[in-house]
Amino acid sequence: FVGLGAMIDFGPMLANPRVLIFGAAGQFGIFLTLLLALALGFPRQQAVSIAIIGAMDGPTAIYVSSKFARELLPAISIAAYSYMSMVPIIQPPIMRFLTTQKERATLMPPEEKKVSQTVKVLFPLVAGIFTILIAPMGAPLMGMLMLGNFMRESHVVDRLAQVSEGAVVNIVTLFLGLAIGASMLGGNFLTWKTILIFILGLIALCLDTVTGVLIGKLMYVITRGKINPLLGAAGTSAFPMSARVVQREGQKANPMSFLLFHAVGANTGGQIGSVMAAAIMLAALSGMGINPTP
């Protein structure tokens, strides 16, 4: 998450704060999938870990499942990263089904107002403190995300920021893959429960996209056609894939459309939203007296 924070530019989101609503809407699939997993008979801690796949955020899914459902860690990790890579395949049909040609062709200004460097530096500090106070269980995730972004925007430790977003991310990803792969015993992995986890993860991503686009359509109506509803699909934390998908679909409907700036803002808002959703679920489990695995 330090490396991810060092990669993210929150400027587009700060220039147009209303896109945060898409970041919140993009997490509804998590909670709907949680209810579905509970209905299918999964224990609470496993249901929460499975639902977090809908965050489309590998580190968040790994963190939650390692705390409460370590036995499902390989399946959940693979599902989370697999569906992140499949965003360009899964999201477009849903986006086209829920919107009209006119809505998808809606033009938006290619770039909003500029954000000062002072605001960019203060944002990770203020946002980190504020969100951690609201959801303390998410402090390890949110704190590292905002630390990485603070290093990026301060321009004081450029070498550390570059190493974080480059070498550190690559090394951690390599060892993470090896560690998870080593735990994938065939007898434990090739089961009906694993297949069900993959199905629930797919449902979570689809529901994230559906709720995001529906909120986008509502914003389209409220603003009288000034907001392209496709932006709702970028509310997931699959950064930057969802933003690219929105840009591509917008240009298919209208070659003059340029949604990338706004979509990136919604996408970074979704990154924050996924951490908040995980923190809320962790706090709920702790409130029920369910403690993390030692």
Side-chain angles (χ1 to χ4, degrees):
F1 258 59
V2 171
L4 188 60
M7 295 178 188
I8 292 178
D9 178 9
F10 285 112
M13 185 190 73
L14 295 173
N16 188 14
R18 60 185 175 180
V19 298
L20 275 171
I21 193 171
F22 299 129
Q27 313 310 315
F28 272 71
I30 298 174
F31 299 99
L32 296 175
T33 305
L34 171 62
L35 297 178
L36 182 57
L38 290 172
L40 290 173
F42 283 95
R44 290 174 181 174
Q45 55 268 45
Q46 289 189 358
V48 166
S49 301
I50 293 169
I52 288 295
I53 297 174
M56 293 299 105
D57 190 347
T60 303
I62 291 171
Y63 180 76
V64 174
S65 57
S66 67
K67 292 290 185 182
F68 290 100
R70 195 169 294 173
E71 68 280 4
L72 300 181
L73 179 58
I76 289 174
S77 303
I78 292 173
Y81 280 106
S82 296
Y83 290 133
M84 281 178 63
S85 64
M86 292 175 64
V87 162
I89 299 173
I90 297 172
Q91 283 196 322
I94 299 174
M95 296 160 67
R96 290 191 291 266
F97 178 76
L98 293 176
T99 57
T100 64
Q101 174 69 20
K102 180 181 177 181
E103 290 172 339
R104 294 195 296 275
T106 301
L107 289 174
M108 294 184 66
E111 189 171 337
E112 294 284 343
K113 61 182 180 181
K114 297 290 184 180
V115 178
S116 70
Q117 190 61 33
T118 302
V119 173
K120 287 186 175 184
V121 171
L122 289 177
F123 174 76
L125 298 176
V126 175
I129 294 172
F130 182 72
T131 53
I132 289 171
L133 289 175
I134 293 176
M137 294 294 290
L141 298 176
M142 188 64 75
M144 293 299 100
L145 180 71
M146 293 305 171
L147 172 61
N149 189 251
F150 180 72
M151 291 194 301
R152 168 197 171 98
E153 300 298 350
S154 67
H155 296 298
V156 175
V157 287
D158 286 338
R159 182 173 60 86
L160 292 179
Q162 291 169 7
V163 170
S164 297
E165 67 174 312
V168 170
V169 169
N170 293 334
I171 293 171
V172 170
T173 301
L174 173 62
F175 281 105
L176 186 63
L178 291 174
I180 293 174
S183 64
M184 288 173 52
L185 300 178
N188 298 333
F189 189 75
L190 299 175
T191 64
W192 284 109
K193 177 180 280 191
T194 302
I195 295 173
L196 188 56
I197 289 172
F198 272 78
I199 294 173
L200 289 171
L202 177 60
I203 291 173
L205 172 57
C206 292
L207 289 175
D208 285 343
T209 306
V210 168
T211 53
V213 174
L214 290 179
I215 292 296
K217 287 174 72 70
L218 177 62
M219 294 292 290
Y220 176 84
V221 173
I222 292 175
T223 60
R224 297 181 180 180
K226 294 182 180 179
I227 290 183
N228 193 313
L230 292 178
L231 291 179
T236 67
S237 64
F239 180 85
M241 284 81 77
S242 289
R244 291 172 178 167
V245 170
V246 169
Q247 165 68 10
R248 186 179 65 186
E249 291 300 313
Q251 286 204 321
K252 283 183 180 179
N254 186 342
M256 301 298 294
S257 179
F258 191 82
L259 300 175
L260 188 60
F261 182 84
H262 308 280
V264 167
N267 220 174
T268 53
Q271 189 71 58
I272 296 175
S274 69
V275 176
M276 289 295 292
I280 291 170
M281 287 191 168
L282 290 173
L285 287 177
S286 298
M288 295 175 186
I290 301 174
N291 297 316
T293 304

